[in-house]
Amino acid sequence: MGAATTAPPATSAVPVPPTPHRGRRGRLARLDVTVSPYLYIAPFFVLFLVTGLFPLLYTGYVALHDWDQIMGRGEFVGLTNFVDILTGRGFWRALANTVSIFLLSSVPQIAAALLIAALLDRNLRARTFWRMGVLLPYVVAPVAVALIFNNLFADRFGLVNLLLETVGLEPVRWHSDRLASHIAIATMVNFRWTGYNALILLAAMQAIPKDLYEQAALDGANAWRSFWSVTVPMLRPTIIFVVITSTIGGLQIFDEPKMYDQYGRGGADQQWQTLTIYLYELGWTRADFGAASAVAVLLFLIIVTFGILNFLLTRRIAHDDGGRR
Amino acid sequence: MRKPGWIVYGLLAAVVLGSMFPLWWSVVVASHDSTVLARDRFPVLPGGNFFRNAATVLDTVPFWRATLNSIIVSTTVSASVVFFSTLAGYAFAKLRFRGSGPLLVFVVATMAVPTQLGVVPLYQVMARLGWTGELTAVIVPGLVTAFGVFWMTQYLRQAVPAELIEAARVDGASMFRTFWHVGLPASRPAASMLFLFTFVATWTNFFWPFIVLGPSNPTLPIALQQLQAAHFVDYSLVLAGAVLGTIPLLVLFVVAGRQLVSGIMQGAVKQ
């Protein structure tokens, strides 16, 4: 609360006894005091209820029905939608693709962001320039990023393949090979988010007390050693934050894989069809809202599980490093 | 602290070049003819065809309409998020009322809920209201965010001295007048950051607008998607569209990038 708690001498110098409100005006004023705070916070709660919570809960209800996008609700079918999805091939393939793209993007991304943050955390000239340069990709819409990288990763005449050929390597089939397509899509995600995460980590780095580094230097630690033994453990909460936000975002990835070719169905053999594209296809191409909702429910459970899992994991890893200090 | 050596600058320069290169490359491709690209494999400099390509883009998709839509949506959403978040943040930070603690915890907790996953019912709600294909369907769900409320609460705790509010109350100002004349002006720096963030996020948003808007009334990302569907192999055209669609935010970035940077840094420390 800071400033709010210190008693100001200024107010005590002005002797203003609150004019006693009487009658209707007084009651209105009291009503104003008691009701206003609730009115001020109401817009958020109303909106969240209508566009957040209700749809999320109602998804569970739709998932238990035979539900056509146009015909509307059919009969109650219990867990049939879930059984159909879990026994089909589409879901598992989409899940594998999503996790693969997510790992290919978040792991290198966080490592790169940490290193870039460490570079920025120096006594640089033109500090703002470097920070802005690193953040630049963040303002480019994922859709535009996808268009640009589609060109760079084009199977024929794409710049990446031309460079590979120039150095004597085989061109990669970025739009048909499964792993290659995942790498290309992860590259788009990394392009857009690495700098953003680097700045978040940089902010946390600058809050680390400098004497910890001095002490490490006295103990004979080199730059690399003090990075691992001081910086990384001290950044723990921020790293957890970055990991969790990128998990939530990564598991819902849609824009980049959707735009990776002109059909938007995740490849001829669904090599890069993610769970959200699968959800979209079930709901809006096949008009099966019941199945789409079942996927949404499953995706929700996966996100929660992943969130808890990597919270525990990140905490564990960071703890171990802290202990070794 | 030690002066950083050339290695540090060299590495940073590589990173910055890496973030600029794809944009530069798209300008290069967008300003050539596709046939030139097939012949000359490594064009490094822009050609003279950009305006012709841009004109084709404008003929293929409702580009101006999409730009206008994006401006309307992003501006409305950002202004509304700033207003309602400041209002709620002011209440949480400065007003005493029963249940404020748990309610704030609730707000923060909702940030972990991926509301995107409720798209099926949300789409049904919009269809029932007759809003599918309308900008309202994109604007309304974004009017106030948990992040915004939390952000303004954190800021206003320190930014407004309680005695200022008391003074206004003693002078007989109503609660709302007090907010308007004390809370709102004090929130300026944090509010402008929130505006920027919301603007970028809304402008670049694709998933929900793609689902709920039709092809006749798109925002920019949707228009770019249509352009790709129509001209997938003609990279010059597709990238001309990407360049055109990116320019507005690049301008914003040049003007306000400094603030965006410090906003990210500030937000991170407070978490």
Side-chain angles (χ1 to χ4, degrees), chain A residues 262-300:
Chain A
Q262 84 264 45
Y263 309 111
R265 302 188 51 215
D269 289 318
Q270 276 73 53
Q271 301 97 310
W272 63 88
Q273 184 176 66
T274 59
L275 283 170
T276 332
I277 296 182
Y278 183 56
L279 186 160
Y280 174 80
E281 188 175 310
L282 289 174
W284 279 270
T285 310
R286 300 194 211 162
D288 188 347
F289 269 5
S293 297
V295 172
V297 171
L298 291 170
L299 184 49
F300 179 68

Side-chain angles (χ1 to χ4, degrees), chain A residues 97-126:
Chain A
N97 291 344
T98 308
V99 172
S100 162
I101 293 172
F102 159 65
L103 289 176
L104 284 170
S105 52
S106 62
V107 175
Q109 186 187 125
I110 289 164
L114 256 177
L115 291 178
I116 294 171
L119 292 174
L120 288 170
D121 190 27
R122 301 294 195 92
N123 204 3
L124 294 171
R125 282 162 193 274

Side-chain angles (χ1 to χ4, degrees), chain A residues 178-249:
Chain A
R178 194 173 182 196
L179 182 64
S181 69
H182 294 183
I183 293 174
I185 292 167
T187 309
M188 302 176 197
V189 180
N190 292 336
F191 171 72
R192 188 154 188 269
W193 289 105
T194 305
Y196 179 89
N197 284 327
L199 289 185
I200 288 186
L201 292 168
L202 171 64
M205 262 180 209
Q206 295 193 329
I208 298 173
K210 293 289 168 268
D211 46 329
L212 285 180
Y213 290 108
E214 281 159 25
Q215 214 174 344
L218 282 180
D219 292 346
N222 60 17
W224 187 245
R225 182 64 214 254
S226 79
F227 176 72
W228 275 113
S229 314
V230 179
T231 313
V232 173
M234 290 298 287
L235 289 183
R236 198 185 72 189
T238 315
I239 293 177
I240 292 177
F241 170 78
V242 169
V243 167
I244 287 177
T245 49
S246 72
T247 306
I248 294 175

